[in-house]
Amino acid sequence: DCQRFIYKRRYRVILACRNMEKTNEAVEDIKSNPPSWMKKDKYKNNVGELAIYFLDLRSFKSVKDCAKNLLTNEAAIDILINNAGMAAASPYEKTEDGIETTLQVNHLGHFLLTLLLLPKMQSSSPSCRIINVSSIAYIFADIDFDDINLERSYALFKSYARSKLANI
Protein backbone atom coordinates (compact mmCIF):
# COMPACT_ATOMS: atom_id res chain seq x y z
CA ASP A 1 0.00 0.00 0.00
CA CYS A 2 1.27 3.37 -1.07
CA GLN A 3 1.21 5.24 2.26
CA ARG A 4 3.06 2.44 4.08
CA PHE A 5 5.69 2.29 1.31
CA ILE A 6 6.36 6.05 1.46
CA TYR A 7 6.19 6.19 5.28
CA LYS A 8 8.73 3.37 5.55
CA ARG A 9 11.17 5.46 3.51
CA ARG A 10 11.21 8.22 6.15
CA TYR A 11 9.01 10.68 4.31
CA ARG A 12 6.29 12.84 5.77
CA VAL A 13 3.03 11.36 4.50
CA ILE A 14 -0.06 13.53 4.53
CA LEU A 15 -3.43 11.82 4.50
CA ALA A 16 -6.18 14.20 3.41
CA CYS A 17 -9.44 12.42 4.17
CA ARG A 18 -13.13 12.91 4.84
CA ASN A 19 -13.68 10.31 7.54
CA MET A 20 -11.38 11.07 10.47
CA GLU A 21 -12.30 7.91 12.39
CA LYS A 22 -11.27 5.66 9.48
CA THR A 23 -8.20 7.82 8.85
CA ASN A 24 -7.02 7.45 12.46
CA GLU A 25 -7.51 3.68 12.14
CA ALA A 26 -5.47 3.70 8.92
CA VAL A 27 -2.69 5.69 10.60
CA GLU A 28 -2.51 3.18 13.45
CA ASP A 29 -2.45 0.33 10.94
CA ILE A 30 0.36 1.97 8.97
CA LYS A 31 2.37 2.60 12.15
CA SER A 32 1.82 -0.90 13.53
CA ASN A 33 2.14 -3.15 10.51
CA PRO A 34 5.34 -3.16 8.49
CA PRO A 35 5.54 -4.68 5.03
CA SER A 36 5.74 -8.50 5.26
CA TRP A 37 9.45 -8.55 4.39
CA MET A 38 10.48 -6.13 7.18
CA LYS A 39 10.95 -6.85 10.89
CA LYS A 40 8.63 -4.90 13.18
CA ASP A 41 11.37 -3.40 15.38
CA LYS A 42 13.31 -2.14 12.35
CA TYR A 43 10.12 -0.66 10.89
CA LYS A 44 9.17 1.28 14.04
CA ASN A 45 12.62 2.89 14.27
CA ASN A 46 13.08 3.69 10.58
CA VAL A 47 10.00 5.55 9.47
CA GLY A 48 8.76 9.00 8.55
CA GLU A 49 5.86 11.04 9.84
CA LEU A 50 2.12 10.81 9.28
CA ALA A 51 -0.11 13.89 9.22
CA ILE A 52 -3.88 14.12 8.81
CA TYR A 53 -5.92 16.88 7.18
CA PHE A 54 -9.65 17.03 6.63
CA LEU A 55 -10.71 16.95 2.97
CA ASP A 56 -14.16 16.29 1.53
CA LEU A 57 -13.92 16.22 -2.24
CA ARG A 58 -17.72 16.64 -2.45
CA SER A 59 -17.22 20.29 -1.50
CA PHE A 60 -15.07 22.82 -3.36
CA LYS A 61 -15.05 24.86 -0.13
CA SER A 62 -13.53 21.89 1.71
CA VAL A 63 -10.93 21.47 -1.05
CA LYS A 64 -9.99 25.17 -0.78
CA ASP A 65 -9.85 24.98 3.03
CA CYS A 66 -7.64 21.89 2.91
CA ALA A 67 -5.32 23.49 0.37
CA LYS A 68 -5.08 26.63 2.51
CA ASN A 69 -4.20 24.53 5.57
CA LEU A 70 -1.59 22.57 3.64
CA LEU A 71 -0.05 25.73 2.19
CA THR A 72 0.07 27.31 5.64
CA ASN A 73 1.28 24.34 7.68
CA GLU A 74 3.50 22.29 5.39
CA ALA A 75 7.05 23.36 4.56
CA ALA A 76 7.10 21.45 1.29
CA ILE A 77 4.96 19.24 -0.92
CA ASP A 78 7.05 17.09 -3.24
CA ILE A 79 4.55 14.48 -4.40
CA LEU A 80 0.78 14.65 -4.70
CA ILE A 81 -1.08 11.39 -5.16
CA ASN A 82 -4.70 11.94 -6.15
CA ASN A 83 -6.10 8.58 -5.11
CA ALA A 84 -9.39 9.24 -3.30
CA GLY A 85 -12.58 8.34 -5.06
CA MET A 86 -15.92 6.67 -5.09
CA ALA A 87 -17.51 4.04 -7.29
CA ALA A 88 -20.64 6.04 -8.16
CA ALA A 89 -23.42 7.82 -6.33
CA SER A 90 -26.57 5.78 -6.01
CA PRO A 91 -29.08 7.19 -6.60
CA TYR A 92 -28.12 10.17 -8.76
CA GLU A 93 -27.04 13.15 -6.70
CA LYS A 94 -25.31 16.48 -7.09
CA THR A 95 -22.89 18.12 -4.69
CA GLU A 96 -23.51 21.44 -2.96
CA ASP A 97 -21.59 22.92 -5.89
CA GLY A 98 -24.16 21.62 -8.39
CA ILE A 99 -21.91 18.95 -9.92
CA GLU A 100 -22.74 15.26 -10.34
CA THR A 101 -21.12 13.73 -7.27
CA THR A 102 -18.92 11.06 -8.86
CA LEU A 103 -17.37 13.52 -11.31
CA GLN A 104 -16.63 16.01 -8.54
CA VAL A 105 -15.19 13.46 -6.09
CA ASN A 106 -13.15 11.48 -8.60
CA HIS A 107 -11.94 14.28 -10.84
CA LEU A 108 -12.89 17.92 -10.27
CA GLY A 109 -12.00 17.95 -6.56
CA HIS A 110 -8.56 16.52 -7.31
CA PHE A 111 -8.10 18.95 -10.19
CA LEU A 112 -8.88 21.95 -7.97
CA LEU A 113 -6.63 20.69 -5.17
CA THR A 114 -3.79 20.16 -7.64
CA LEU A 115 -4.16 23.67 -9.07
CA LEU A 116 -4.14 25.21 -5.60
CA LEU A 117 -1.08 23.23 -4.46
CA LEU A 118 0.93 23.48 -7.67
CA PRO A 119 2.84 26.70 -6.89
CA LYS A 120 3.95 25.28 -3.51
CA MET A 121 4.96 22.02 -5.16
CA GLN A 122 6.98 23.79 -7.84
CA SER A 123 8.81 25.82 -5.21
CA SER A 124 9.36 22.73 -3.03
CA SER A 125 11.24 20.65 -5.57
CA PRO A 126 12.24 20.90 -9.22
CA SER A 127 11.34 17.21 -9.49
CA CYS A 128 7.89 17.42 -7.87
CA ARG A 129 5.40 14.85 -9.10
CA ILE A 130 1.63 14.56 -9.42
CA ILE A 131 0.16 11.08 -9.68
CA ASN A 132 -3.48 10.68 -10.70
CA VAL A 133 -4.94 7.24 -10.04
CA SER A 134 -7.48 6.15 -12.62
CA SER A 135 -9.04 2.88 -13.76
CA ILE A 136 -9.27 0.74 -16.90
CA ALA A 137 -12.99 1.53 -16.77
CA TYR A 138 -12.19 4.73 -18.68
CA ILE A 139 -12.21 2.75 -21.95
CA PHE A 140 -15.98 2.37 -21.65
CA ALA A 141 -16.67 6.09 -21.37
CA ASP A 142 -17.06 9.23 -23.34
CA ILE A 143 -17.81 12.71 -22.12
CA ASP A 144 -20.93 14.48 -23.35
CA PHE A 145 -20.23 18.12 -22.56
CA ASP A 146 -23.88 18.93 -23.33
CA ASP A 147 -24.88 16.63 -20.45
CA ILE A 148 -21.87 17.08 -18.16
CA ASN A 149 -23.94 16.33 -15.04
CA LEU A 150 -25.56 13.26 -16.64
CA GLU A 151 -29.00 14.69 -15.93
CA ARG A 152 -30.44 13.05 -19.05
CA SER A 153 -28.42 9.83 -19.05
CA TYR A 154 -27.24 8.86 -15.57
CA ALA A 155 -26.10 5.31 -14.89
CA LEU A 156 -23.81 4.14 -12.08
CA PHE A 157 -21.07 2.61 -14.21
CA LYS A 158 -21.30 5.36 -16.82
CA SER A 159 -20.72 7.96 -14.11
CA TYR A 160 -17.70 6.12 -12.71
CA ALA A 161 -16.12 5.37 -16.09
CA ARG A 162 -16.56 8.96 -17.23
CA SER A 163 -14.86 10.29 -14.09
CA LYS A 164 -11.90 7.98 -14.76
CA LEU A 165 -11.71 9.11 -18.39
CA ALA A 166 -11.58 12.70 -17.11
CA ASN A 167 -8.58 11.73 -14.95
CA ILE A 168 -6.75 10.50 -18.01
Side-chain angles (χ1 to χ4, degrees):
D1 114 306
C2 182
Q3 294 95 346
R4 194 178 325 276
F5 180 81
I6 297 169
Y7 174 67
K8 183 194 81 60
R9 284 172 172 66
R10 298 184 182 173
Y11 287 97
R12 179 172 173 80
V13 177
I14 299 166
L15 300 154
C17 304
R18 170 175 59 91
N19 185 320
M20 291 296 107
E21 184 179 329
K22 286 184 180 180
T23 304
N24 285 317
E25 290 172 11
V27 164
E28 288 309 310
D29 182 57
I30 292 167
K31 287 180 177 179
S32 302
N33 296 304
S36 59
W37 50 268
M38 181 178 264
K39 291 184 180 177
K40 201 167 197 164
D41 61 332
K42 184 177 179 186
Y43 181 71
K44 286 197 179 262
N45 297 324
N46 257 337
V47 293
E49 299 174 61
L50 293 167
I52 299 172
Y53 286 80
F54 178 78
L55 171 63
D56 186 349
L57 293 165
R58 296 172 194 235
S59 164
F60 290 148
K61 180 185 181 315
S62 177
V63 173
K64 291 174 188 174
D65 290 346
C66 181
K68 182 179 178 183
N69 289 332
L70 287 165
L71 294 171
T72 301
N73 299 321
E74 296 299 326
I77 302 172
D78 299 311
I79 300 171
L80 174 63
I81 302 173
N82 291 316
N83 186 41
M86 60 183 289
S90 177
Y92 177 87
E93 68 180 56
K94 287 185 181 180
T95 66
E96 65 189 37
D97 302 298
I99 307 294
E100 189 271 320
T101 301
T102 308
L103 181 62
Q104 183 163 332
V105 169
N106 291 358
H107 179 66
L108 296 175
H110 291 123
F111 191 83
L112 177 59
L113 183 66
T114 300
L115 286 176
L116 295 171
L117 297 179
L118 192 56
K120 173 82 152 208
M121 293 183 69
Q122 291 171 319
S123 68
S124 297
S125 170
S127 60
C128 66
R129 295 287 182 260
I130 300 165
I131 300 167
N132 293 312
V133 177
S134 190
S135 162
I136 192 70
Y138 83 91
I139 65 174
F140 299 105
D142 62 0
I143 298 176
D144 180 357
F145 290 100
D146 293 326
D147 188 21
I148 197 71
N149 278 320
L150 297 177
E151 293 167 316
R152 296 186 303 269
S153 60
Y154 182 77
L156 289 173
F157 184 74
K158 180 178 184 176
S159 171
Y160 175 76
R162 178 191 64 151
S163 73
K164 295 306 173 177
L165 175 59
N167 290 147
I168 290 174

